[in-house]
Amino acid sequence: CTTPPFRAAVRLNSGVRSLWSATVYIFRTHLENIEMVTRLRKHALNRKPKLEIGDRVLVSQTIASGDVLQPIRYVMRYFRTLPDLHDETLSIWGKKWPYIMEFDTCHRLAKPFDIRDVQVSNHNYGPGGPIVRVHPADEYAIDKLGLLGYAAET
């Protein structure tokens, strides 16, 4: 993950909440897409999500057979969602999606985790499609456990 050119504009917007006061979501993506999602800091969707600038997004790889790594491996900060008017999603992922989300930061987590191992709520994270809001109690647990620390960039 690298810093995009529009990051400075986000910092200058005085209405942006800090990274640590934002709502947390989990976005699921398949193994074959995670590299492009994190490298480009973009995610394609069928519907426009109701996120606010600065919301934290935990990128979770859908669990593949034989994969021993924890599914939540990255944290990104939401910037905006745009309609895909120029087939950008088709050129990136080989499939046309109506919306493309952009993020202003992306960091590999120092200690990837599975939400089921840290959750304190009874929230069911199984259903819900590609986007699931993290229950506030689980958000608190994630922060208290320090799970959003970044790995050293190479």
Side-chain angles (χ1 to χ4, degrees):
C1 302
T2 58
T3 303
F6 53 83
R7 184 175 182 194
V10 174
R11 275 198 227 140
L12 295 175
N13 182 343
S14 61
V16 174
R17 297 171 295 154
S18 79
L19 183 62
W20 306 115
S21 66
T23 303
V24 178
Y25 293 87
I26 296 173
F27 283 11
R28 299 178 186 109
T29 193
H30 294 283
L31 175 62
E32 62 272 13
N33 296 329
I34 201 162
E35 192 269 330
M36 292 300 275
V37 167
T38 57
R39 184 166 58 85
L40 299 175
R41 293 166 318 281
K42 295 184 178 194
H43 196 289
L45 294 168
N46 278 326
R47 61 181 172 82
K48 188 173 182 176
K50 296 179 182 175
L51 275 71
E52 294 185 33
I53 192 168
D55 281 343
R56 294 181 287 176
V57 174
L58 306 175
V59 180
S60 179
Q61 179 181 304
T62 53
I63 298 173
S65 60
D67 188 358
V68 297
L69 296 175
Q70 297 289 357
I72 298 174
R73 303 173 189 180
Y74 297 89
V75 61
M76 299 194 300
R77 187 172 57 195
Y78 177 74
F79 180 63
R80 65 183 175 183
T81 300
L82 300 170
D84 185 11
L85 302 176
H86 305 289
D87 296 333
E88 184 178 7
T89 56
L90 185 62
S91 67
I92 295 172
W93 291 287
K95 180 180 175 181
K96 173 73 173 154
W97 298 86
Y99 293 98
I100 190 159
M101 300 172 55
E102 295 179 346
F103 303 85
D104 73 333
T105 62
C106 175
H107 297 281
R108 180 184 301 272
L109 296 177
K111 185 178 177 186
F113 65 96
D114 188 324
I115 190 68
R116 297 172 295 187
D117 295 337
V118 300
Q119 79 178 92
V120 294
S121 74
N122 291 324
H123 186 71
N124 183 356
Y125 289 100
I131 304 171
V132 178
R133 189 194 185 291
V134 174
H135 187 281
D138 299 332
E139 226 179 284
Y140 183 77
I142 289 166
D143 284 337
K144 281 307 228 187
L145 291 169
L147 294 174
L148 299 185
Y150 308 150
E153 297 292 328
T154 57

